[in-house]
Amino acid sequence: MLFKRLKLTDAAQLMEAWKTEPEKYLESKLDNDYAELRKQLLSEYQEVDNGKKYWLDYQFGLRLNRTLSKFGFTSRDASDDGIWRFLSLCVVPDLVGRRWGRGAEQRFYSRAGRIWLKTIWWYIHLSWQGSRPETLKVLARNTTDQILQLVDRSGAKGYYVETYRKIMYYYWAAREINTSIGEKEFRQIMLLHTALCQSIEPGLYDGGEDGYVKMLFSRIGITV
């Protein structure tokens, strides 16, 4: 499937139409592939929408990741904000609106780092532990703050995907031992990584990415 893109200026116009007349939804204009994608995403959303915001974010994020992959979606596509704008405003604006309200432009299109579908897709991608059960286990006790801290800290060279996955694993493991570890420590880890990866290649560190991530934790006084 070739994923469509939406320009920023066009997105602004569609956002106004969505806010003023949400009942005139664009479903009738979707082609067959996108109509099927919308149908599947609606079903997945309904399965996990229990009113708990973080639960919805990571549970629907897992389903969004899986569903898009069935349509040929790749990490290259995930780096294209135009694709996320199209998905947010032309395919499932009602779902974004349920989570954030119809007036939250940044969650639909206006701020790249806050587009909801984009952030939850990357949160799952960067946290993936090899299987859905293992990923769910690692994510279950987190909060929306971890989504923000993880996805926002890409660094000058982009995401070190395997490093981020190990950070998420060791963060979970550390909290299993010490329940007082939380958002403050996670933020410190991500800030430290963002600074150090400018001069250190995680994969070339002594012990590879495992050694690098353990070093990050040790620098803030956590042994993993």
Side-chain angles (χ1 to χ4, degrees):
M1 175 175 172
L2 182 63
F3 287 91
K4 297 178 181 178
R5 295 166 178 79
L6 186 65
K7 293 180 180 179
L8 195 60
T9 52
D10 294 334
Q13 294 176 357
L14 284 176
M15 186 72 204
E16 286 305 309
W18 164 243
K19 286 194 294 184
T20 55
E21 296 184 289
E23 67 278 1
K24 291 186 177 180
Y25 179 61
L26 301 173
E27 186 173 8
S28 61
K29 298 181 181 179
L30 295 175
D31 61 30
N32 289 339
D33 283 339
Y34 272 109
E36 179 59 27
L37 175 58
R38 171 173 165 76
K39 178 182 176 182
Q40 291 188 30
L41 291 177
L42 284 173
S43 176
E44 297 284 9
Y45 188 100
Q46 289 164 1
E47 284 187 15
V48 297
D49 185 13
N50 65 358
K52 297 178 180 179
K53 292 180 179 179
Y54 175 69
W55 167 272
L56 175 63
D57 288 342
Y58 84 92
Q59 290 281 348
F60 183 61
L62 276 162
R63 288 159 173 78
L64 174 69
N65 194 291
R66 179 181 61 192
T67 301
L68 286 176
S69 70
K70 292 191 295 184
F71 287 79
F73 194 80
T74 67
S75 57
R76 185 181 183 87
D77 294 320
S79 299
D80 190 327
D81 291 335
I83 291 176
W84 290 118
R85 289 192 289 264
F86 186 88
L87 290 171
S88 298
L89 281 164
C90 298
V91 183
V92 288
D94 46 345
L95 300 189
V96 182
R98 283 188 215 175
R99 173 62 176 87
W100 291 100
R102 291 201 304 272
E105 287 92 347
Q106 63 179 349
R107 302 298 179 175
F108 286 84
Y109 78 95
S110 66
R111 188 174 172 187
R114 294 293 182 270
I115 297 173
W116 182 55
L117 298 180
K118 175 184 176 181
T119 59
I120 60 175
W121 188 94
W122 277 105
Y123 183 55
I124 298 304
H125 185 68
L126 296 173
S127 302
W128 187 250
Q129 300 298 310
S131 70
R132 187 170 178 271
E134 288 299 307
T135 304
L136 283 169
K137 179 181 72 175
V138 165
L139 298 183
R141 293 175 56 204
N142 291 348
T143 69
T144 54
D145 187 69
Q146 275 82 43
I147 299 177
L148 175 65
Q149 293 299 323
L150 189 71
V151 176
D152 264 7
R153 312 242 179 238
S154 60
K157 298 179 181 178
Y159 292 120
Y160 289 94
V161 176
E162 292 305 319
T163 301
Y164 280 58
R165 290 172 177 174
K166 291 187 183 297
I167 288 173
M168 295 304 287
Y169 173 78
Y170 284 117
Y171 177 64
W172 166 80
R175 296 177 78 196
E176 288 290 292
I177 299 169
N178 184 351
T179 57
S180 68
I181 295 171
E183 293 175 4
K184 181 185 74 173
E185 288 77 16
F186 188 78
R187 192 176 301 114
Q188 289 174 335
I189 289 293
M190 295 310 301
L191 285 169
L192 185 59
H193 163 67
T194 303
L196 292 180
C197 72
Q198 307 302 314
S199 57
I200 299 175
E201 186 71 28
L204 300 178
Y205 191 80
D206 186 23
E209 283 152 332
D210 276 292
Y212 173 80
V213 173
K214 288 178 180 179
M215 175 271 293
L216 295 178
F217 278 83
S218 68
R219 286 210 181 183
I220 65 165
I222 299 174
T223 301
V224 291

